[in-house]
PDB file of all heavy atoms in Angstrom:
ATOM      1  N   ASP B 266      16.116  26.921  27.689  1.00 97.00           N
ATOM      2  CA  ASP B 266      16.950  25.684  27.464  1.00 97.00           C
ATOM      3  C   ASP B 266      16.385  24.927  26.225  1.00 97.00           C
ATOM      4  O   ASP B 266      17.278  24.401  25.468  1.00 97.00           O
ATOM      5  CB  ASP B 266      16.754  24.774  28.706  1.00 97.00           C
ATOM      6  CG  ASP B 266      17.324  25.316  29.961  1.00 97.00           C
ATOM      7  OD1 ASP B 266      18.454  25.845  29.831  1.00 97.00           O
ATOM      8  OD2 ASP B 266      16.850  25.106  31.013  1.00 97.00           O
ATOM      9  N   PHE B 267      15.159  24.828  26.121  1.00 96.00           N
ATOM     10  CA  PHE B 267      14.618  24.167  24.969  1.00 96.00           C
ATOM     11  C   PHE B 267      15.132  24.706  23.616  1.00 96.00           C
ATOM     12  O   PHE B 267      15.635  24.047  22.720  1.00 96.00           O
ATOM     13  CB  PHE B 267      13.002  24.117  24.922  1.00 96.00           C
ATOM     14  CG  PHE B 267      12.395  23.191  25.860  1.00 96.00           C
ATOM     15  CD1 PHE B 267      11.727  23.593  26.979  1.00 96.00           C
ATOM     16  CD2 PHE B 267      12.504  21.746  25.667  1.00 96.00           C
ATOM     17  CE1 PHE B 267      11.182  22.746  27.880  1.00 96.00           C
ATOM     18  CE2 PHE B 267      11.913  20.905  26.561  1.00 96.00           C
ATOM     19  CZ  PHE B 267      11.288  21.297  27.652  1.00 96.00           C
ATOM     20  N   ALA B 268      15.100  26.161  23.609  1.00 96.00           N
ATOM     21  CA  ALA B 268      15.654  26.778  22.411  1.00 96.00           C
ATOM     22  C   ALA B 268      17.168  26.570  22.246  1.00 96.00           C
ATOM     23  O   ALA B 268      17.631  26.272  21.065  1.00 96.00           O
ATOM     24  CB  ALA B 268      15.312  28.286  22.550  1.00 96.00           C
ATOM     25  N   ALA B 269      17.841  26.669  23.263  1.00 98.00           N
ATOM     26  CA  ALA B 269      19.296  26.622  23.156  1.00 98.00           C
ATOM     27  C   ALA B 269      19.849  25.251  22.961  1.00 98.00           C
ATOM     28  O   ALA B 269      20.903  24.955  22.306  1.00 98.00           O
ATOM     29  CB  ALA B 269      19.981  27.229  24.421  1.00 98.00           C
ATOM     30  N   LEU B 270      19.112  24.268  23.381  1.00 98.00           N
ATOM     31  CA  LEU B 270      19.427  22.783  23.151  1.00 98.00           C
ATOM     32  C   LEU B 270      19.082  22.469  21.726  1.00 98.00           C
ATOM     33  O   LEU B 270      19.808  21.772  20.984  1.00 98.00           O
ATOM     34  CB  LEU B 270      18.734  21.810  24.086  1.00 98.00           C
ATOM     35  CG  LEU B 270      19.338  21.820  25.517  1.00 98.00           C
ATOM     36  CD1 LEU B 270      18.335  21.090  26.506  1.00 98.00           C
ATOM     37  CD2 LEU B 270      20.682  21.228  25.514  1.00 98.00           C
ATOM     38  N   ALA B 271      17.900  22.950  21.303  1.00 96.00           N
ATOM     39  CA  ALA B 271      17.504  22.647  19.840  1.00 96.00           C
ATOM     40  C   ALA B 271      18.465  23.325  18.867  1.00 96.00           C
ATOM     41  O   ALA B 271      18.771  22.632  17.848  1.00 96.00           O
ATOM     42  CB  ALA B 271      16.008  23.169  19.703  1.00 96.00           C
ATOM     43  N   ASP B 272      18.847  24.551  19.055  1.00 97.00           N
ATOM     44  CA  ASP B 272      19.720  25.156  18.093  1.00 97.00           C
ATOM     45  C   ASP B 272      21.261  24.822  18.378  1.00 97.00           C
ATOM     46  O   ASP B 272      22.129  25.293  17.619  1.00 97.00           O
ATOM     47  CB  ASP B 272      19.520  26.616  17.972  1.00 97.00           C
ATOM     48  CG  ASP B 272      19.931  27.396  19.196  1.00 97.00           C
ATOM     49  OD1 ASP B 272      20.831  26.972  19.928  1.00 97.00           O
ATOM     50  OD2 ASP B 272      19.445  28.583  19.335  1.00 97.00           O
ATOM     51  N   GLY B 273      21.488  24.151  19.385  1.00 97.00           N
ATOM     52  CA  GLY B 273      22.839  23.612  19.697  1.00 97.00           C
ATOM     53  C   GLY B 273      23.710  24.627  20.473  1.00 97.00           C
ATOM     54  O   GLY B 273      24.834  24.380  20.963  1.00 97.00           O
ATOM     55  N   SER B 274      23.158  25.831  20.706  1.00 98.00           N
ATOM     56  CA  SER B 274      24.045  26.853  21.436  1.00 98.00           C
ATOM     57  C   SER B 274      24.394  26.474  22.873  1.00 98.00           C
ATOM     58  O   SER B 274      25.332  27.013  23.455  1.00 98.00           O
ATOM     59  CB  SER B 274      23.400  28.276  21.269  1.00 98.00           C
ATOM     60  OG  SER B 274      22.107  28.273  21.909  1.00 98.00           O
ATOM     61  N   ALA B 275      23.506  25.567  23.468  1.00 98.00           N
ATOM     62  CA  ALA B 275      23.740  25.220  24.823  1.00 98.00           C
ATOM     63  C   ALA B 275      24.681  23.978  24.899  1.00 98.00           C
ATOM     64  O   ALA B 275      25.015  23.517  25.944  1.00 98.00           O
ATOM     65  CB  ALA B 275      22.488  24.805  25.482  1.00 98.00           C
TER      66      ALA B 275
END
Side-chain angles (χ1 to χ4, degrees):
Chain B
D266 291 322
F267 283 109
L270 285 168
D272 70 19
S274 60

